[in-house]
């Protein structure tokens, strides 16, 4: 049966790979992102929206009344010591990585409930442990875990499933930019592909409705996961 699935951050990286796979499966995908041109290349229904402005999301998704799954994939990451991170950095992380997913979930819950659907949060290894330089990003991802856990408990009576996927290092533009900002080398042999990360999310979405994957942690096989490396 064809499902309708909304994917945020669909214009690049994991979100783009996931969108391609879901379309190939025959699902109807609603791709949400900021880059209208990149979204148009996906060949599916699109929603152009800016998660840094959660107050604009209600109008952007007002026409959606049935949703089998909502995948919160979009996110931002900046690194730096607590002593140097300004208020604007903290506010950006909390707005894009936590407040926007919470608001989008609130707006779309009626559509998800109508389908007895599924909400999937794409988190990070940083959502489980934090290392030096990762305070703002990790704090936002810990908060996203709390949002997912609370939502799972609240929506169980409505038969809405809630899952969190925690990818480790993934070969995305975000990963390359982070390595550069940290003055660290980017080694493509020590990251998983965006396609592999997307496949793990697809797996969670395809688990039969009689079961729910609460948490799925996935990391590159050729590195030892630890607090400073497990980052999406």
């Amino acid at each position: 049966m064809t499902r309708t699935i909304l994917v945020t951050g669909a214009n690049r990286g994991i979100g783009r790979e996931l969108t391609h796979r879901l379309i190939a499966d025959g699902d109807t995908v609603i791709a949400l992102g900021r880059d209208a041109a990149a979204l148009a290349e996906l060949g599916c229904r699109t929603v152009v929206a800016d998660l840094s402005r959660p107050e604009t999301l209600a109008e952007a998704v007002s026409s959606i009344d049935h949703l089998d799954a909502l995948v919160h994939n979009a996110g931002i990451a900046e690194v730096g010591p607590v002593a140097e991170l300004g208020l604007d950095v903290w506010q950006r992380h909390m707005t894009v990585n936590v407040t926007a997913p919470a608001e989008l979930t609130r707006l779309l819950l009626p559509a998800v409930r109508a389908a007895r659907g599924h909400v999937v949060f794409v988190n990070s290894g940083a959502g489980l442990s934090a290392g030096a330089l990762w305070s703002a990003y990790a704090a936002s991802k810990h908060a996203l875990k709390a949002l997912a856990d609370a939502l799972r408990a609240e929506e169980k009576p409505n038969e809405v499933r809630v899952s969190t996927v925690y990818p480790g290092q993934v070969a995305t533009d975000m990963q390359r930019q982070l390595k550069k900002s940290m003055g660290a080398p980017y080694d493509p042999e020590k990251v998983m592909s965006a396609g592999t990360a997307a496949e793990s999310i697809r797996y969670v979405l395809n688990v039969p409705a009689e079961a729910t994957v609460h948490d799925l942690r996935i990391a590159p096989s050729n590195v030892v996961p630890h607090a400073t490396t497990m980052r999406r």
Side-chain angles (χ1 to χ4, degrees):
M1 183 171 64
T2 299
R3 301 173 297 183
T4 299
I5 302 174
L6 188 147
V7 179
T8 71
N11 42 270
R12 65 177 187 168
I14 298 171
R16 193 174 186 86
E17 289 289 337
L18 177 62
T19 297
H20 284 311
R21 282 163 168 72
L22 295 177
I23 291 172
D25 287 342
D27 293 315
T28 298
V29 179
I30 303 173
L32 185 149
R34 291 188 300 171
D35 188 335
L39 291 175
E41 295 172 356
L42 293 169
C44 62
R45 181 179 172 184
T46 64
V47 174
V48 179
D50 185 351
L51 297 184
S52 70
R53 299 180 61 204
E55 70 277 7
T56 66
L57 295 175
E59 182 176 355
V61 300
S62 61
S63 64
I64 300 173
D65 58 9
H66 183 95
L67 205 57
D68 295 284
L70 167 59
V71 180
H72 292 291
N73 166 74
I76 63 166
E78 298 176 57
V79 294
V82 175
E84 298 177 11
L85 292 181
L87 177 61
D88 59 329
V89 175
W90 284 94
Q91 289 177 329
R92 277 198 301 275
H93 279 80
M94 294 302 172
T95 298
V96 175
N97 293 353
V98 187
T99 303
E103 174 65 358
L104 195 58
T105 299
R106 182 186 71 83
L107 294 167
L108 292 174
L109 260 180
V112 176
R113 286 171 176 167
R116 295 179 180 176
H118 200 166
V119 181
V120 178
F121 294 88
V122 182
N123 200 298
S124 166
L128 298 170
S129 62
L133 306 181
W134 292 93
S135 59
Y137 180 67
S140 70
K141 290 299 187 176
H142 275 69
L144 190 67
K145 179 185 185 301
L147 169 61
D149 290 346
L151 182 69
R152 183 181 303 113
E154 293 168 2
E155 291 301 313
K156 187 174 181 179
N158 296 316
E159 299 183 57
V160 171
R161 295 187 291 168
V162 179
S163 303
T164 297
V165 179
Y166 300 88
Q169 294 186 77
V170 181
T172 62
D173 292 339
M174 177 188 288
Q175 184 68 215
R176 294 181 183 91
Q177 292 164 3
L178 286 171
K179 290 292 186 181
K180 183 178 180 180
S181 68
M182 296 172 69
Y186 172 77
D187 186 349
E189 297 299 319
K190 294 184 178 180
V191 295
M192 74 182 85
S193 69
T196 294
E199 196 61 28
S200 69
I201 302 166
R202 177 174 171 269
Y203 163 77
V204 169
L205 288 168
N206 288 339
V207 169
E210 65 183 304
T212 303
V213 175
H214 288 197
D215 299 285
L216 177 64
R217 188 173 185 177
I218 178 171
S221 298
N222 57 348
V223 295
V224 178
H226 58 81
T228 58
T229 62
M230 284 193 65
R231 304 291 177 260
R232 178 161 69 92

